[in-house]
Structures are given as structure tokens and as C-alpha cells.
Amino acid sequence: MASVEEAAASIAGLPPPTYSVNGREVVVRLPYRTRDGYLWVDADPNAMTGPFMFTNLDVEPRGGPGGTDVAVFTYLAEGPGRATLRFALTPVAKGPAPELVRRGDVAARYEAAVTVN
């Protein structure tokens, strides 16, 4: 597994994360490289942020530009509102993701401020 610094340098060469809103559904696409030993996780302590409830996580191996892997998080808004969805790229084998995020043991972070009407 790459060190946090090595993973951060590797992430610097990745395409940027993106998100899209379709009605009440929000899809966040986060590119990464499995070989670095890091995976994107939801950096919020529970499955609900504002009106958004986490509903699904898909991993698309080599589904991104240049053969990068993509973590695809899907949320559904229970009603209109705004929230910031937060993610962290954490080491896979170093413990539970919430603890890694609290300790700051992450290679990258991404935040998406999302509004649903």
C-alpha cells in the first residue's frame, strides 16, 4: 500500500471528482486507483446529510478516464434542501473508515455542496 503522501501525489494526476443532480437523486463520481490501496468513503458519521440519504455505492473498475477506477455514491433527497456531501480517500487496510477520517489519515478529500429544489 502506498503511503498517504504517495497516494496524495498519485491522486493529483487523477481526473477531478464530479457530481450530478437528476431530480432528487445525486450521483457523486470519485476517481481513484485500486493499486494505491486507498478507497473513497463517505466522510460524514452517518448515512444522512441534510435531506440526502445514502442509497448505494458502486465501484467501476477502470470505468474512468485513462483506466482509473471510479467510486460512485448515490444519494436520494427526501425533500428540497441543501447540504455538503463530504468524502475522504482512506487506506483500505488501516481500520474503520470513520476512525481514519477522524484521525486525518486520508490522502484526499472532496466536498460537494448540493441543492435540490
Side-chain angles (χ1 to χ4, degrees):
M1 174 174 32
S3 70
V4 171
E5 293 79 18
E6 291 167 333
S10 177
I11 295 309
L14 288 173
T18 61
Y19 74 91
S20 60
V21 179
N22 184 15
R24 300 252 166 138
E25 183 181 74
V26 177
V27 177
V28 181
R29 298 178 58 81
L30 301 152
Y32 70 104
R33 290 184 189 90
T34 302
R35 71 176 180 258
D36 291 338
Y38 284 72
L39 182 64
W40 284 104
V41 298
D42 185 334
D44 288 310
N46 57 43
M48 188 150 188
T49 303
F52 301 101
M53 174 65 87
F54 170 77
T55 59
N56 192 45
L57 169 61
D58 264 333
V59 174
E60 297 176 356
R62 297 172 303 286
T68 56
D69 304 308
V70 181
V72 182
F73 289 81
T74 304
Y75 294 81
L76 188 61
E78 293 186 329
R82 177 179 169 82
T84 299
L85 303 175
R86 294 176 176 86
F87 303 90
L89 190 64
T90 63
V92 173
K94 280 197 165 183
E99 179 60 27
L100 295 172
V101 172
R102 275 193 295 279
R103 286 196 324 240
D105 192 4
V106 300
R109 294 182 185 269
Y110 176 70
E111 293 186 357
V114 181
T115 301
V116 171
N117 297 319

